[in-house]
Amino acid sequence: MTAFVLVTGASHGLGKHIALQFGQLEQDFHMVICARDIVQLQETKMELDAQRGRHEIFVAAIDFSSPNLDSLAEYLLVRVTRHPTTHYSKAYLFNSCSTPGTIGFLSELTSNDIKRTIDVDLVAPMILTSKFLKYFQHCQQYIINITAPEAIQPRQGLGVYCACKAAREMLHRSVAYEESVDEGSTESLDRRRRVLSYCPGHLNSDMTQELLQRLPDNEFKAHLLFLRDNHLLVDPGESARVLVNLLQEDKYENASHVDFDKICVHFRNAIAGK
């Protein structure tokens, strides 16, 4: 049967490359790609169509700072493909959209600055995940949270972004826990709901370039400059390939946090040990 795939933030960066990597799989699927920029989304669709895989691609220009998140979530998950959710045997949700928001100390931010970042980085993926669980409850579910080092490491000027990334990790852990327990038992029921928080590394992406332009001189900016100047920023395509391979192998601990950098270190150590 066909799989359903929704990738948020698919106009550029990691979200785009997740869509492109998934498009190379020999699997029938319907993929919904969404972001704010319709022009860049259409470019992603053209690259997917050129792969000539067994898939249909649907494009949706969405602003997750909108107040109508309930209806937007229903539109993305149900109405875009024009197929009933019972048409699918598997369903994938990639919560990859995020924004650093307004950069500054918390005392300097307006309530609108704070609310917009929380809406995009936390409320939108929370509502999308809630609706996804409801609409695809009969499917094998895969829910992937794109996290960041900032989920556990505070950064000057990025307090709201860091808080949202930390909250997203707990949200996805809770989603997995809800499925894994029954009447107080901690024994796993099945593998029907697979949840992963994936940290892609510091990417060579538009968001990193934006941070370099907007951050004041501080320790985090110096770290990003070091990574850039020494060609150590991670290629989004490579990080997306590692993620899709993880999903295909499906051997990760449910609701775990998997770090791209640690996978690469483990791989290099394994080669050195041969």
Side-chain angles (χ1 to χ4, degrees), residues 8-273:
T8 67
S11 60
H12 60 279
L14 186 69
K16 174 179 180 176
H17 286 280
I18 289 172
L20 294 176
Q21 286 291 331
F22 212 95
Q24 295 178 18
L25 301 179
E26 293 184 2
Q27 179 178 351
D28 291 328
F29 61 83
H30 293 161
M31 180 184 290
V32 179
I33 54 174
C34 68
R36 286 184 301 170
D37 192 322
I38 186 62
V39 175
Q40 289 185 315
L41 278 175
Q42 292 290 359
E43 291 176 358
T44 303
K45 183 179 185 302
M46 288 176 61
E47 291 184 49
L48 283 163
D49 289 340
Q51 293 175 347
R52 301 185 181 278
R54 295 180 297 174
H55 51 252
E56 290 186 61
I57 309 299
F58 303 86
V59 173
I62 296 292
D63 184 352
F64 283 123
S65 64
S66 165
N68 302 313
L69 287 176
D70 267 338
S71 58
L72 288 178
E74 181 180 349
Y75 173 72
L76 290 172
L77 294 167
V78 180
R79 301 203 319 247
V80 170
T81 67
R82 300 181 298 277
H83 289 284
T85 56
T86 52
H87 180 76
Y88 306 105
S89 59
K90 293 182 179 181
Y92 295 81
L93 171 61
F94 291 91
N95 282 319
S96 55
C97 181
S98 67
T99 175
T102 302
I103 293 173
F105 291 148
L106 190 61
S107 60
E108 301 169 343
L109 303 181
T110 68
S111 58
N112 284 336
D113 292 332
I114 296 169
K115 183 178 183 302
R116 185 182 184 283
T117 304
I118 293 175
D119 282 346
V120 174
D121 287 354
L122 181 59
V123 177
M126 189 176 288
I127 292 175
L128 268 179
T129 302
S130 172
K131 299 294 186 183
F132 177 86
L133 294 172
K134 174 183 176 181
Y135 293 137
F136 294 96
Q137 56 186 295
H138 61 282
C139 292
Q140 169 74 53
Q141 300 169 341
Y142 292 87
I143 304 168
I144 301 92
N145 169 44
I146 302 303
T147 186
E150 288 68 46
I152 56 175
Q153 176 64 51
R155 307 291 191 188
Q156 286 187 343
L158 294 171
V160 180
Y161 174 77
C162 294
C164 289
K165 285 296 186 182
R168 272 169 64 155
E169 289 220 19
M170 179 53 71
L171 167 68
H172 287 78
R173 287 172 59 192
S174 297
V175 164
Y177 182 75
E178 288 172 356
E179 175 70 6
S180 68
V181 297
D182 182 30
E183 296 182 353
S185 170
T186 57
E187 294 182 4
S188 178
L189 296 176
D190 55 36
R191 288 169 56 84
R192 187 178 65 86
R193 182 183 299 171
R194 300 285 284 148
V195 181
L196 175 67
S197 282
Y198 177 70
C199 184
H202 286 302
L203 300 171
N204 186 9
S205 65
D206 291 345
M207 183 171 171
T208 299
Q209 299 309 316
E210 178 186 357
L211 287 173
L212 286 172
Q213 292 175 2
R214 294 172 54 197
L215 280 170
D217 291 335
N218 58 31
E219 184 179 356
F220 182 43
K221 182 174 183 177
H223 177 62
L224 291 179
L225 285 169
F226 173 83
L227 294 177
R228 184 197 67 182
D229 295 344
N230 289 276
H231 308 288
L232 296 174
L233 291 173
V234 178
D235 176 68
E238 176 63 15
S239 190
R241 184 188 64 79
V242 168
L243 171 58
V244 172
N245 284 345
L246 281 170
L247 296 174
Q248 289 298 104
E249 292 175 359
D250 203 8
K251 295 179 180 179
Y252 54 87
E253 181 182 350
N254 208 22
S256 60
H257 172 115
V258 177
D259 194 301
F260 171 86
D261 293 329
K262 291 182 179 178
I263 292 175
C264 291
V265 169
H266 176 77
F267 180 72
R268 286 194 294 267
N269 289 341
I271 292 176

